[in-house]
Amino acid sequence: MVRNDKHRLANYLLDEIGLIEDRYVAEAATEYRRAGNGLRPRRIAVIGVSLTLTLSLLLGMFAANQFGSKSDDAAEDLRDEAGNAVVTQASGTSAPAGISFRLQELKISTASYATPAQSIDLFADEMQIIWKYADEEIYRVRLLTSSEEQRMLGLLNKEQGTALSFAESEKKNGLDGIWIALGDGTVISPCLEQTEGNVGYGTLFDYNPEVEPSDALTDLVCDILS
Amino acid sequence: MEDYQIVDLYWSRSEEAIGETSRKYGKMLNGISYSLLSSSEDAEECVNDTYLEAWNRMPEDRPLYLGAYLAKIIRCLSISRFRSDHRKKRGGMGRITEELTDCIPDTWSCQQEYENGLLSDALNRFLFELSEEKRRMFIRRYFYSDSVSDIASRMRISPSKVKTTLHRLRGELKEFLEQEGVTLW
């Protein structure tokens, strides 16, 4: 191939690069945070020693607590009856550490984007996780890759959520709703038992989060979104 | 202002749309155009043309990523301007086109006609398979026309690593296009 021909074809390629998907163009415009920042060995050693000392201290305190005098109160139960992890709130009451809490603490990756509800395409032939924080008007969307879709479908077909009674105030912990859109219009609230009560079509329907997703689905959602 | 709010301004034909766009994306758009044309004057004209183009296209279009939408417009306008101005010998576009000749599969021929859409689909598949770091590097170089040093600075890596990675990516793209059987016809 002569040089001029190659240049002509390279120009075609240059033009076509201008037609790549918007999400890739948008991703490249955001700040990039590398995974792992190449800590120096000495700093790694210092961190390692600090962690070891802290862990030893905590283990010592735990052991002392175990073999010390017992209080009249029952030992703190770190899991609720349903087997979900709980966190103790400042008031001393326990609340499920479910998907709302996990999402609040998660560092969401830049692969997700914010959008108004009317711009969400539920028929785009791509599976999406869609969620909305209580203090925002917009929705957040993350398109799933093929492998993520397979993992999600695998869980959706077999896991069952845990029925809990949320107080209305639980919504203030951050999440108004989270949905899994299958791409063909089907929208599922993630209690994972696909019954009439939690499957909608063509719309992000409202629902009371009376069923908490299983730990397995919560872990998967957080893994995908982080 | 969020993208969807600015898009709403275009849709409601509010004069604030251009102002808000300029505030949020003016610098980025100028940067893209200048990288290709190496002329502040020409870049400024392309930026203004981009605003006009966006105004004319919306409503009809409702982009999800306004920044990407505008970037594509100004890139296209800047490239066209570069090609139509025969006096232009400088500019980043010449270097970038030269690099992209590395990506041309041996099976391609200039006698073949160009089929719209086939190549961009393949490019999207290629980009999907890349790690985020490599994808960003590729797009910053060949879409945004960033210099190697700008990319290195942006991604906090050495310029030599950028050069090496881009060189490898060009080879990988060539191989990918050959394996995919993408031809121009």
Side-chain angles (χ1 to χ4, degrees):
Chain A
M1 195 186 295
V2 297
R3 187 180 172 78
N4 283 345
D5 286 349
K6 262 207 162 175
H7 268 273
R8 205 167 298 152
L9 291 168
N11 272 297
Y12 287 144
L13 184 53
L14 186 71
D15 290 342
E16 283 296 279
I17 289 172
L19 300 177
I20 58 175
E21 289 186 22
D22 283 5
R23 56 179 165 153
Y24 295 142
V25 176
E27 175 192 61
T30 57
E31 188 185 336
Y32 177 59
R33 286 196 173 86
R34 303 185 70 208
N37 52 10
L39 293 173
R40 293 182 192 164
R42 186 172 176 174
R43 191 174 288 182
I44 292 172
V46 168
I47 291 171
V49 167
S50 306
L51 280 174
T52 307
L53 284 173
T54 307
L55 199 60
S56 303
L57 191 63
L58 287 171
L59 282 172
M61 284 170 63
F62 177 72
N65 211 21
Q66 286 289 94
F67 292 107
S69 57
K70 294 190 178 181
S71 70
D72 291 333
D73 297 332
E76 197 173 290
D77 189 7
L78 296 179
R79 289 248 155 203
D80 65 12
E81 289 173 2
N84 288 311
V86 300
V87 291
T88 303
Q89 294 176 330
S91 61
T93 60
S94 295
I99 201 160
S100 297
F101 292 90
R102 292 277 299 275
L103 275 188
Q104 290 301 304
E105 291 173 7
L106 194 66
K107 184 171 171 55
I108 307 287
S109 85
T110 57
S112 65
Y113 58 89
T115 186
Q118 62 266 29
S119 296
I120 298 173
D121 185 359
L122 299 172
F123 297 85
D125 225 11
E126 284 179 292
M127 196 178 282
Q128 307 171 67
I129 298 173
I130 304 163
W131 71 105
K132 181 181 176 299
Y133 297 112
D135 57 353
E136 289 182 347
E137 292 299 317
I138 52 164
Y139 290 72
R140 306 243 167 210
V141 178
R142 165 69 154 80
L143 299 175
L144 272 58
T145 63
S146 309
S147 61
E148 287 166 348
E149 282 186 10
Q150 294 306 314
R151 291 166 69 196
M152 182 64 74
L153 285 170
L155 269 189
L156 287 175
N157 287 333
K158 67 177 184 186
E159 293 280 335
Q160 290 193 3
T162 306
L164 297 166
S165 74
F166 270 119
E168 197 55 32
S169 60
E170 286 296 327
K171 271 200 170 183
K172 293 178 189 168
N173 281 316
L175 205 63
D176 264 355
I178 182 164
W179 303 264
I180 315 291
L182 301 190
D184 60 354
T186 307
V187 178
I188 302 172
S189 73
C191 62
L192 303 179
E193 191 179 351
Q194 296 182 30
T195 65
E196 282 181 13
N198 67 300
V199 178
Y201 190 78
T203 179
L204 294 177
F205 60 97
D206 198 3
Y207 72 102
N208 290 325
E210 71 274 15
V211 179
E212 183 69 24
S214 67
D215 283 354
L217 179 73
T218 302
D219 287 343
L220 176 59
V221 167
C222 291
D223 181 46
I224 289 171
L225 295 183
S226 63
Chain B
M1 205 180 248
E2 297 281 350
D3 280 358
Y4 75 92
Q5 291 171 312
I6 301 176
V7 171
D8 282 345
L9 291 175
Y10 279 99
W11 273 64
S12 62
R13 310 316 276 168
S14 164
E15 288 171 7
E16 287 176 26
I18 306 294
E20 290 299 328
T21 304
S22 175
R23 258 186 288 279
K24 190 166 184 182
Y25 292 114
K27 194 174 170 188
M28 178 196 82
L29 296 176
N30 199 280
I32 293 172
S33 190
Y34 186 82
S35 293
L36 289 164
L37 300 172
S38 293
S39 162
S40 303
E41 219 173 73
D42 290 346
E44 196 179 324
E45 284 181 25
C46 284
V47 170
N48 291 332
D49 289 343
T50 300
Y51 297 149
L52 178 63
E53 185 74 18
W55 180 265
N56 290 336
R57 288 192 193 181
M58 291 189 268
E60 288 301 329
D61 290 354
R62 187 178 269 280
L64 209 50
Y65 303 104
L66 182 59
Y69 179 80
L70 297 168
K72 285 183 169 183
I73 295 174
I74 197 165
R75 186 181 182 274
C76 187
L77 288 172
S78 302
I79 289 173
S80 296
R81 192 176 186 116
F82 182 91
R83 287 172 179 160
S84 68
D85 189 347
H86 297 293
R87 291 169 301 168
K88 282 246 180 295
K89 299 296 175 192
R90 297 180 305 152
M93 212 181 105
R95 282 192 295 279
I96 288 168
T97 314
E98 182 68 39
E99 286 177 24
L100 285 176
T101 58
D102 291 345
C103 306
I104 304 301
D106 297 329
T107 49
W108 284 13
S109 158
C110 255
Q111 276 70 45
Q112 293 164 325
E113 285 185 13
Y114 180 64
E115 181 174 352
N116 204 12
L118 194 68
L119 186 47
S120 59
D121 284 347
L123 284 168
N124 283 321
R125 287 196 299 277
F126 174 73
L127 291 170
F128 183 78
E129 296 295 331
L130 294 178
S131 67
E132 186 186 335
E133 183 180 76
K134 286 182 180 175
R135 184 167 55 240
R136 280 173 178 264
M137 229 181 276
F138 184 92
I139 293 172
R140 288 310 312 186
R141 181 64 180 152
Y142 300 115
F143 181 92
Y144 286 98
S145 308
D146 283 357
S147 66
V148 166
S149 53
D150 282 346
I151 295 172
S153 163
R154 176 182 275 269
M155 300 186 71
R156 296 188 187 92
I157 51 178
S158 67
S160 62
K161 183 169 178 185
V162 173
K163 277 188 208 166
T164 308
T165 306
L166 286 174
H167 178 74
R168 284 188 190 143
L169 283 173
R170 291 196 296 273
E172 285 173 24
L173 176 57
K174 178 178 174 180
E175 208 177 296
F176 180 86
L177 292 174
E178 282 170 350
Q179 280 171 2
E180 289 270 309
V182 175
T183 54
L184 300 183
W185 59 276

